[in-house]
Amino acid sequence: MTTRSVNVSDNIVVSDKVNLLGLSQKALVEYFTTLGEKSFRAQQVLKWIHAEGVTDFAQMTNLSKSLRAQLSEHCEVRAPEVISEHTASDGTRKWLFRVDGGGAIETVYIPEPERATLCVSSQVGCALNCSFCHTAQQGFQKNLTSSEIIGQLWHAVTQLRKEGVFKAINRPITNVVMMGMGEPLLNFDNVVMAMDLMLDDLAYGLSKRRVTLSTSGVVPAIDKLREVTDVALAVSLHAPNDELRTELVPINKKYPIVELLAACKRYLRDDKRRRITMEYVMLEGVNDQPEHAKQLIQILKDVPSKVNLIPFNPFNGTKYQRSSNEAIVRFQSILMNAGIVTLTRKTRGDDIDAACGQLAGQVNDRTQRSAKFKQQLAKNTIPIEVIHS
Ligand code: SAH
């Protein structure tokens, strides 16, 4: 494991410049129109920023001198500030960023032979209070701006390109999962704007099957999402009945399972090739029994879905424990025997706490700063595969 840190001022960054980093092509065209510029200028700037990683307008040499000067005066291209970077022995890398307002967020890079996934945060903290989630303990602090969301991908791509570590798969990042801190559907507009940039050929050109939004189940926002994009959808189901789900994912009280699954079906628009990924955290003795698997089969009967079992990542003070490997294998086989595609997520980057909210938690939650929690993780012996859309 290697760690690099930089000094970060505690000053809150205040800027009245327009941050072009977070503007989608459409928004940039609108902005350039207000400046009296042709729309192709927006496309040129988009390419400089995202495809070339250039932040200094002076280097955007195909723009006129006067436009460059005007942009330097009124605009900026500013990604969140890196606080630290940790690389695990398995190559998983985690960046901790300082965002405007002073909070910290995390971004995790997961390299594999055939692909490289970036796990991106959408909020500082989270308001949803899922009982097994460390981010929940930090409470909600703020929505990230679209610059802060796309800035995580921008930083990863720019740095990995410089390092040249992606040669085998031809591009630094192939997949993005909105599975970092926060509930992306509660920061709807900024998340959608950032995802537009992820999919834009002039920016990152990711396939819509390779950008996954994970939600705890904000039903009206799932319907709204369907109107504006069709990225892959993952849903944090975690329980096969309302009583248990409300205990684990309290938003279930507002949007119970039937409503959630109906929204999932609507999201797929009868496209037979697509499925919703159902995330299911494996909590020992809580939701991991054969009867839970059988209930799950029943509720997923007519929902085109695949199940992604996530071994629980323990953290300091949690009342839950990770299910045993035997329980996970048993649960997985019951689902698979019923014809449900089921994968168990491989744990990655254990030596750098590269799991949901853990590192940023140490910064945002001052009481835990010095108490670095040591995970005691059993070695995974079950059939495993990392699944990201
Ligand atoms: N708010 C979004 C994104 C959350 S993080 C959502 O709820 O989907 C992505 C996934 O990690 C979610 O399925 C979340 O429930 C799960 N998760 C959170 N804490 C976890 C933990 N301690 N161990 C394992 N999975 C966890």
Side-chain angles (χ1 to χ4, degrees), residues 25 28-29 32 38-47:
Q25 184 169 164
L28 265 185
V29 167
F32 276 76
K38 294 262 170 11
S39 61
F40 74 90
R41 293 291 178 209
Q43 283 138 13
Q44 287 174 320
V45 168
L46 196 75
K47 276 205 226 166

Side-chain angles (χ1 to χ4, degrees), residues 67 111 115 174 176 212 236 285 301 308:
L67 179 58
R115 60 184 164 188
T174 58
V176 170
T212 302
S236 293
K301 228 177 22 228
N308 188 357

Side-chain angles (χ1 to χ4, degrees), residues 132-133 179-180 182-183 214-216 236 238 279 281 312-313 356:
F132 56 89
C133 179
M179 292 184 186
E183 168 49 52
S214 174
T215 178
S216 56
S236 293
H238 301 318
E279 297 164 279
V281 64
F312 173 60
N313 276 302
C356 313

Side-chain angles (χ1 to χ4, degrees), residues 15 17 23 37 47 56 58 76-77 100-101 119 139 142 203 224 257 266 282 284 288 312 343 353 366 379:
S15 168
K17 291 188 167 182
L23 297 190
E37 292 285 339
K47 276 205 226 166
D56 179 1
E76 61 182 355
V77 180
D100 287 357
C119 180
K142 76 155 209 158
K224 205 169 138 200
I257 292 175
R266 288 193 294 275
M282 295 300 286
E284 186 171 74
D288 65 349
F312 173 60
L343 295 168
D353 285 350
R366 285 164 189 273
K379 212 172 167 52

Side-chain angles (χ1 to χ4, degrees), residues 226-253:
R226 180 169 62 105
E227 303 299 327
V228 292
T229 186
D230 59 353
V231 296
L233 187 66
V235 166
S236 293
L237 191 57
H238 301 318
N241 61 65
D242 281 324
E243 193 188 348
L244 185 53
R245 188 163 192 269
T246 299
E247 190 185 313
L248 302 177
V249 185
I251 198 179
N252 188 70
K253 207 172 161 107

